[in-house]
Amino acid sequence: MLTDRFDESLDFFTRVFGLKLSGQDADSAYLRAWDDYEHCSLKLTRADTTGVGHIAYRAASPEALERRVKAIEASGYKTHGWIDGDESHGRAFRFEDPFGHVFEIYYDTVWYQPQQDAERAALKNTASAFTGAAPRRLDHLNLLSGDVTEFRRFMETCLGSRVTEMIQLDNGRIGGCWFTVNNKTYDLACTEEHGRGHGRLHHVTFATDQREDILRAADIFLQNGVHIETGPHKHAIQGTFFLYVWEPAGNRVELANAGARLILAPDWQPVVWTEADRRKGQAWGLKTIETFHTHGTPPVQKMEA
């Protein structure tokens, strides 16, 4: 994630949101939720803009990485080639979707190690202690694109993703797709870009154990002057209980709880939501705030008259 207010963003993600600082260099802070097993699940990078720097997926094995890279190279999509990685993971193959989002795929990673005794979990089967809003793990992110159908082809071709749910608009376009590469209900979503932006981020989401964690987090955000955009409510699509806030640089961040829902059927067929379905609002009939449809990062520069 890119931020043009690095110190304020870092304070939000550590002190208020409750992520752990695993490491830091001149340009980036390496952050993780308390039960993320890797050294880093969110790399916060100093920049003159906001939005997403890149999205990284871990392959299931070194052999799976090589197979997937061959599929990406044969796909016809833009590739950047191999990079050395950073302090959180080893070499990675970098490529790009048609809408300016940069992706990486890697296998070699750095497992989290507590840096001080206070970070050690009391239970051996959790990775570390927790503070702040305390999300458990990275859950998903939502990207914006001008053609969700083409983005779907990219995800299925390059990453072997499955679509679990989608929005079918009356005009024939797909308004949104929710993808998974495992048994989670989704790890990435793509929705239509309504702001004429390029390569933009809608939000990044961390998961909590239960709904009550999100209600407590709302009080923490209120106490710390964080902009609560919408929620807590329940999404109709995917059924998650959610809360959206903006971190100090303007990137949208979500806390979500999906309950115990998983996609275990190997022959799962995507759930299709119509335009009429979406007009009903969220699961509990609440109207989505207008900025949820228009705000993304980086902001679109308005043209001079």
Side-chain angles (χ1 to χ4, degrees):
M1 178 181 285
L2 306 177
T3 173
D4 54 5
R5 300 172 67 174
F6 181 82
D7 292 337
E8 294 169 73
S9 295
L10 181 58
D11 177 69
F12 165 81
F13 278 114
T14 52
R15 182 180 62 84
V16 181
F17 200 66
L19 300 187
K20 302 298 181 183
L21 180 64
S22 295
Q24 190 169 348
D25 56 33
D27 296 317
S28 300
Y30 297 83
L31 304 166
R32 50 177 292 283
W34 63 265
D35 205 29
D36 281 327
Y37 73 91
E38 290 181 281
H39 180 75
C40 167
S41 57
L42 176 64
K43 181 178 179 181
L44 185 69
T45 297
R46 192 188 310 270
D48 58 3
T49 186
T50 52
V52 59
H54 72 267
I55 304 100
Y57 276 79
R58 190 180 184 206
S61 67
E63 294 77 18
L65 173 62
E66 296 300 328
R67 289 195 301 269
R68 186 48 51 191
V69 168
K70 288 180 181 177
I72 295 167
E73 289 178 324
S75 70
Y77 290 106
K78 182 177 180 179
T79 60
H80 297 249
W82 291 97
I83 63 167
D84 291 336
D86 55 28
E87 74 169 60
S88 66
H89 65 74
R91 70 173 192 143
F93 189 82
R94 184 169 282 192
F95 55 108
E96 190 173 319
D97 73 13
F99 310 99
H101 303 106
V102 176
F103 285 73
E104 291 179 4
I105 187 166
Y106 67 97
Y107 176 72
D108 293 329
T109 195
V110 177
W111 280 64
Y112 165 74
Q113 293 293 331
Q115 299 181 60
Q116 50 187 317
D117 286 342
E119 291 184 3
R120 295 184 185 277
L123 295 173
K124 287 186 174 181
N125 58 359
T126 56
S128 64
F130 51 83
T131 55
R136 185 182 191 112
R137 56 171 174 77
L138 178 67
D139 190 77
H140 69 271
L141 75 159
N142 185 327
L143 302 177
L144 297 171
S145 80
D147 185 341
V148 179
T149 298
E150 178 57 27
F151 186 88
R152 175 182 182 175
R153 191 174 81 86
F154 166 82
M155 289 294 291
E156 291 174 336
T157 302
C158 292
L159 290 167
S161 293
R162 294 188 296 161
V163 174
T164 57
E165 303 198 28
M166 58 186 285
I167 300 170
Q168 182 66 64
L169 300 176
D170 293 346
N171 60 15
R173 297 199 316 271
I174 297 177
C177 267
W178 282 255
F179 302 91
T180 185
V181 295
N182 45 48
N183 287 328
K184 280 177 74 273
T185 51
Y186 63 117
D187 46 64
L188 188 144
C190 178
T191 49
E192 280 196 318
E193 169 67 81
H194 297 297
R196 298 184 180 180
H198 182 70
R200 296 210 299 165
L201 171 71
H202 189 272
H203 66 266
V204 63
T205 302
F206 284 80
T208 65
D209 276 343
Q210 52 192 334
R211 292 180 179 182
E212 286 74 13
D213 295 330
I214 296 175
L215 297 176
R216 184 176 68 90
D219 285 336
I220 293 173
F221 296 142
L222 179 67
Q223 185 67 36
N224 286 274
V226 175
H227 173 60
I228 298 176
E229 182 185 32
T230 185
H233 306 319
K234 180 178 177 177
H235 282 305
I237 297 175
Q238 301 290 356
T240 48
F241 187 75
F242 68 86
L243 174 68
Y244 290 95
V245 301
W246 296 359
E247 59 87 30
N251 293 299
R252 183 186 284 107
V253 183
E254 180 189 19
L255 282 175
N257 174 258
R261 185 166 182 256
L262 296 171
I263 302 295
L264 299 174
D267 54 351
W268 178 267
Q269 296 300 308
V271 175
V272 179
W273 300 82
T274 67
E275 213 166 299
D277 293 329
R278 298 303 299 137
R279 290 196 191 99
K280 297 176 183 177
Q282 301 300 342
W284 293 325
L286 299 171
K287 179 177 172 56
T288 305
I289 193 169
E290 183 60 27
T291 56
F292 190 77
H293 300 293
T294 58
H295 180 80
T297 51
V300 176
Q301 299 299 318
K302 294 183 178 179
M303 300 294 292
E304 295 290 340

